[in-house]
Amino acid sequence: MLDSKIPGGQLAEMWDKHRFNLKLVNPANKRKFDVIVVGTGLAGASASATMAELGYNVKAFCIQDSPRRAHSIAAQGGINAAKNYQNDGDSVYRLFYDTVKGGDYRSREANVYRLAQNSNNIIDQCVAQGVPFAREYGGLLANRSFGGAQVSRTFYARGQTGQQLLLGAYNALSRMINAGKVQMYTRTEMLDLIVIDGKARGIVTRNLVTGKFETHVADAVVLCTGGYGNVFYLSTNAMACNVTASWRAHRRGAYFANPCFTQIHPTCIPVHGDFQSKLTLMSESLRNDGRVWVPKKKKDPRKPTDIPENERDYYLERRYPSFGNLVPRDVASRAAKAVCDDGYGVGPTGMAVYLDFADAIRRDGEDAIRERYGNLFHMYQKITDENPYQTPMKIFPAVHYTMGGLWVDYNLMSTVPGLFVLGEANFSDHGANRLGASALMQGLSDGYFVIPYTIGGYFAQAELGKVTADQAECRHVEREARDRVEKLLNVKGKRGVDSFHKELGHLMWNNVGMARNRQGLEEALRRIPEIRKEFWENVNVNGSAEGLNQSLEKAGRVADFLEFAETMALDALTREESCGGHFREEFQTSEGEARRDDDNFAHVAAWEYTGDPAKPTLHKEELEFEYVKLTQRSYK
């Protein structure tokens, strides 16, 4: 049932041949097609701008007050490309290889190679837009290293790379809004997907300011709504990040792939209180110059600057001498958890390690470090009231990115014809672990260089009848969305929405977080339905559906998290191996590394909704590795 539509032939020629074989829509006919784009981060803004530039009529929907506030803006460290400006041995093939290996061999070779191919075009596109990448003295764009690679291929704009890339895409989008080719809907949330005759033909939305429900129809729907990390409550994601758009599409027939593949980022400011609503990321780029360590003495009370060199354990450099502090995120995160679990952690809670820049400052000078990371150091000092130029940062792993998402084929189309899924919202490119600086790459590759071709191929051969917002199928979906909102408002219980979200997040972090085991996953699967039942019996949502009501917004999103979490835990229980960010304690090597089971689990797990969150149907897309040999990952 899962036709990935991967083209045949040699890997390096697949995308070029596939583009040629896709049927085309001539420029005059493009004006006849309407496209809905949900989400205006890097994937959504670039897709909207590019499709509008080609002539399609685009409606773009933004949950924030402006596309400039999309969560893409929070990305700090950089974006990968195989330009090989450093002349250090990089190539498209090496970027492809590092990405497949970094994902622990759980991604499609064809998709990853296309991503590596497009990477160089992305940099050219962004430079042409005026993105202010850092430059070397000679004028070439500068590069720095990131985890999981032994070459320097990460382009950056200080610690604001996501912001600068988003502004580039936003400028392109604004041009098309001004030209009348994009209709922009801000402060608008998608509540459901409309499927007519088996094809995605529209969405139901609610205006977050007025409370007005609206039905929008089109010839295709493109979801660019990000990841589901906030199922854990505390994460580095923006508070508005949610699973609703993807989950609603899933309930309408789109398969959800690999939901248990969640990335834990090793370099975050630790939790500091019970009333914290989110966590703050410190860019992985800091591990270029920062050294990670803990005291060799358990519960050492001394200040880090008072601990001599011979009493420090630089555990990443000790365990992984080839990559040192630049091992991939999943490896660094588990290593940090291990030393803290063993009693060597630092800080008030003992759940932190040091990230120390003293050696780099002595070597290069404080001015050089300030030029590279000044805004990140400033942010850290504002939050912690500690000066990282004088004392090491305290960091600890936190939920950051989700590699799972809606299943898509090579054309980025889901199992619902006409529903395309881009960026973090799909599952396709990162396998079980995303290498740093590749999320921005995927969002822009999908938006600028993939969807403009593949959506045309769909339009050229799909039989699309006329659909209007007032026909029976559309009215039915809108009525269901209204009823769901009214149901939330009518419970009138005694517990606030956030208390349920925190309870779910605590359960998920402890049982479906950095380390998982059968007992914990079975406990999660027992408790999630209980929390969900109490939610629908005892949640208190104040206010009404008319006008601004943030409690109602959160309630709808938490209701979907409470369904999605069960599928996520079931996926983790079913995958009886360790790979990338999915670490089952029963499946590890003698050295504590992830142990895959390629004979039984070299596949994509795609879940079909059956009407009961506890009983989805599992479909498998077998993964074939013709160009990268399946081996045990080693960064030693």
Side-chain angles (χ1 to χ4, degrees), residues 270 287 289 302 327 340 408 430 447 494 538 555 573 581 594:
R287 289 196 278 144
D289 290 299
R302 292 175 291 177
V327 291
C340 290
V408 293
H430 306 299
K494 297 181 179 179
N538 198 30
L573 180 64

Short mmCIF file of all heavy atoms in Angstrom, two decimals, residues 270 287 289 302 327 340 408 430 447 494 538 555 573 581 594:
data_model
loop_
_atom_site.label_atom_id
_atom_site.label_comp_id
_atom_site.label_asym_id
_atom_site.label_seq_id
_atom_site.Cartn_x
_atom_site.Cartn_y
_atom_site.Cartn_z
N PRO A 270 19.49 24.00 31.48
CA PRO A 270 18.72 23.02 32.26
C PRO A 270 17.44 23.59 32.85
O PRO A 270 17.28 24.81 33.01
CB PRO A 270 19.71 22.63 33.39
CG PRO A 270 21.06 23.00 32.88
CD PRO A 270 20.85 24.20 32.00
N ARG A 287 29.67 23.79 20.39
CA ARG A 287 30.56 22.65 20.62
C ARG A 287 31.77 22.67 19.69
O ARG A 287 32.66 21.82 19.81
CB ARG A 287 29.78 21.33 20.47
CG ARG A 287 28.81 21.09 21.61
CD ARG A 287 28.34 19.64 21.65
NE ARG A 287 27.26 19.35 20.73
CZ ARG A 287 27.13 18.21 20.05
NH1 ARG A 287 28.04 17.26 20.16
NH2 ARG A 287 26.10 18.03 19.24
N ASP A 289 33.91 25.16 19.78
CA ASP A 289 34.96 25.73 20.63
C ASP A 289 34.79 25.38 22.09
O ASP A 289 35.75 25.48 22.86
CB ASP A 289 34.97 27.26 20.46
CG ASP A 289 35.49 27.68 19.10
OD1 ASP A 289 36.64 27.36 18.77
OD2 ASP A 289 34.73 28.32 18.34
N ARG A 302 32.78 22.31 44.46
CA ARG A 302 33.62 23.44 44.09
C ARG A 302 33.11 24.16 42.84
O ARG A 302 32.40 23.57 42.01
CB ARG A 302 35.05 22.97 43.83
CG ARG A 302 35.80 22.48 45.07
CD ARG A 302 37.16 21.91 44.71
NE ARG A 302 37.04 20.65 43.97
CZ ARG A 302 38.09 19.98 43.48
NH1 ARG A 302 39.32 20.46 43.64
NH2 ARG A 302 37.91 18.85 42.83
N VAL A 327 30.31 14.84 18.33
CA VAL A 327 29.53 13.65 18.02
C VAL A 327 28.08 14.08 17.75
O VAL A 327 27.67 15.18 18.13
CB VAL A 327 29.57 12.63 19.18
CG1 VAL A 327 30.95 12.03 19.32
CG2 VAL A 327 29.09 13.27 20.48
N CYS A 340 25.34 12.07 34.43
CA CYS A 340 24.50 12.65 35.48
C CYS A 340 23.81 11.55 36.29
O CYS A 340 23.70 11.65 37.52
CB CYS A 340 23.46 13.60 34.87
SG CYS A 340 24.17 15.12 34.20
N VAL A 408 5.25 10.50 3.56
CA VAL A 408 5.17 11.06 2.21
C VAL A 408 5.98 10.21 1.26
O VAL A 408 6.93 9.52 1.65
CB VAL A 408 5.67 12.52 2.15
CG1 VAL A 408 4.75 13.46 2.92
CG2 VAL A 408 7.11 12.63 2.67
N HIS A 430 15.51 12.41 7.73
CA HIS A 430 16.48 12.38 8.82
C HIS A 430 16.59 11.05 9.54
O HIS A 430 17.44 10.91 10.43
CB HIS A 430 16.14 13.48 9.84
CG HIS A 430 16.01 14.84 9.21
ND1 HIS A 430 17.04 15.45 8.54
CD2 HIS A 430 14.95 15.67 9.10
CE1 HIS A 430 16.63 16.62 8.07
NE2 HIS A 430 15.37 16.77 8.38
N GLY A 447 10.64 23.42 0.00
CA GLY A 447 9.84 24.56 -0.43
C GLY A 447 10.29 25.20 -1.71
O GLY A 447 9.47 25.52 -2.59
N LYS A 494 -12.84 21.05 36.66
CA LYS A 494 -12.14 21.77 37.72
C LYS A 494 -10.63 21.86 37.51
O LYS A 494 -9.93 22.46 38.32
CB LYS A 494 -12.41 21.08 39.06
CG LYS A 494 -13.87 21.11 39.48
CD LYS A 494 -14.08 20.43 40.82
CE LYS A 494 -15.56 20.48 41.23
NZ LYS A 494 -15.79 19.81 42.54
N ASN A 538 -13.10 16.51 33.01
CA ASN A 538 -12.78 17.43 34.10
C ASN A 538 -11.99 18.66 33.68
O ASN A 538 -11.52 19.42 34.53
CB ASN A 538 -12.02 16.68 35.20
CG ASN A 538 -12.05 17.41 36.53
OD1 ASN A 538 -12.99 18.14 36.83
ND2 ASN A 538 -11.00 17.25 37.32
N ALA A 555 -6.52 24.02 24.72
CA ALA A 555 -7.31 22.82 24.98
C ALA A 555 -7.41 21.94 23.74
O ALA A 555 -7.28 20.71 23.82
CB ALA A 555 -8.71 23.21 25.47
N LEU A 573 7.19 1.17 21.53
CA LEU A 573 7.13 -0.19 22.08
C LEU A 573 7.29 -1.23 20.98
O LEU A 573 7.96 -2.26 21.16
CB LEU A 573 5.79 -0.39 22.80
CG LEU A 573 5.56 -1.76 23.44
CD1 LEU A 573 6.55 -2.02 24.55
CD2 LEU A 573 4.12 -1.87 23.95
N GLY A 581 17.78 8.57 17.95
CA GLY A 581 17.16 9.11 19.15
C GLY A 581 16.23 8.15 19.85
O GLY A 581 15.75 8.44 20.94
N ALA A 594 23.68 2.48 20.94
CA ALA A 594 22.45 1.96 20.34
C ALA A 594 22.74 0.73 19.48
O ALA A 594 23.70 0.70 18.72
CB ALA A 594 21.80 3.05 19.49
#
